[in-house]
């Protein structure tokens, strides 16, 4: 049970979204059994979907956004849903209001040159592909 958040803010273009979607597919392909709490989020959560191995994902809803960037709305949505994930993967360009660190591990998967997340672990898509 993990949460995966795709940054859909105004600074994210088609190249980033394509890379992020590839990472989501990689996560799903790595496991035979999973529950993903999948969100599209800029300064608000625009899509929240709970998916398992055989579920269809509404990509159009997932990729809505275009505003500013904040991590806290995703954390708050999980709390509102009563979900404490084993981990949260945040796919982003890194330019964000990070807010308070949540009570679970966060992996920031960054497309671009940003470095220096204030909490959690940081990896760069360019380094893993």
């Amino acid at each position: 049970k993990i949460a995966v958040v795709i940054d859909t803010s105004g600074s994210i273009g088609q190249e980033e979204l394509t890379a992020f979607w590839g990472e989501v597919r990689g996560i799903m392909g790595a496991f035979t059994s999973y529950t993903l709490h999948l969100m599209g989020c800029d300064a608000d959560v625009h899509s929240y979907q709970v998916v398992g191995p055989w579920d269809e994902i509404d990509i159009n809803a997932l990729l809505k956004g275009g505003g500013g960037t904040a991590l806290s709305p995703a954390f708050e949505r999980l709390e509102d849903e009563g979900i404490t994930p084993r981990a949260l993967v945040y796919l982003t360009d890194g330019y964000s209001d990070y807010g308070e660190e949540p009570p679970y591990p966060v992996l920031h998967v960054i497309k671009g040159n940003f470095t220096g997340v204030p909490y959690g672990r940081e990896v760069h898509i360019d380094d893993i592909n």
Side-chain angles (χ1 to χ4, degrees):
K1 178 171 73 171
I2 65 169
V4 178
V5 182
I6 296 177
D7 178 351
T8 61
S9 66
S11 63
I12 301 297
Q14 188 60 48
E15 178 183 348
E16 290 85 5
L17 290 174
T18 299
F20 296 163
W21 185 241
E23 295 302 320
V24 171
R25 286 193 329 263
I27 292 168
M28 294 185 312
F31 302 96
T32 57
S33 177
Y34 58 83
T35 301
L36 289 184
H37 296 268
L38 186 59
M39 288 178 261
C41 183
D42 55 11
D44 291 304
V45 174
H46 295 286
S47 175
Y48 174 77
Q49 303 173 46
V50 180
V51 297
W54 306 109
D55 295 328
E56 193 169 313
I57 296 171
D58 183 349
I59 296 171
N60 291 328
L62 183 64
L63 300 181
K64 289 184 179 177
T69 314
L71 276 66
S72 58
F75 304 155
E76 292 164 3
R77 180 63 183 264
L78 290 169
E79 186 176 332
D80 291 348
E81 298 288 335
I83 302 298
T84 302
R86 293 179 60 94
L88 184 140
V89 177
Y90 209 100
L91 301 153
T92 182
D93 62 1
Y95 298 99
S96 179
D97 174 358
Y98 282 84
E100 296 293 318
E101 182 175 3
Y104 40 80
V106 177
L107 176 63
H108 305 271
V109 180
I110 297 174
K111 173 78 173 145
N113 296 323
F114 179 89
T115 60
V117 298
Y119 55 79
R121 295 190 64 192
E122 174 182 325
V123 296
H124 290 257
I125 289 177
D126 300 329
D127 295 339
I128 57 179
N129 287 336

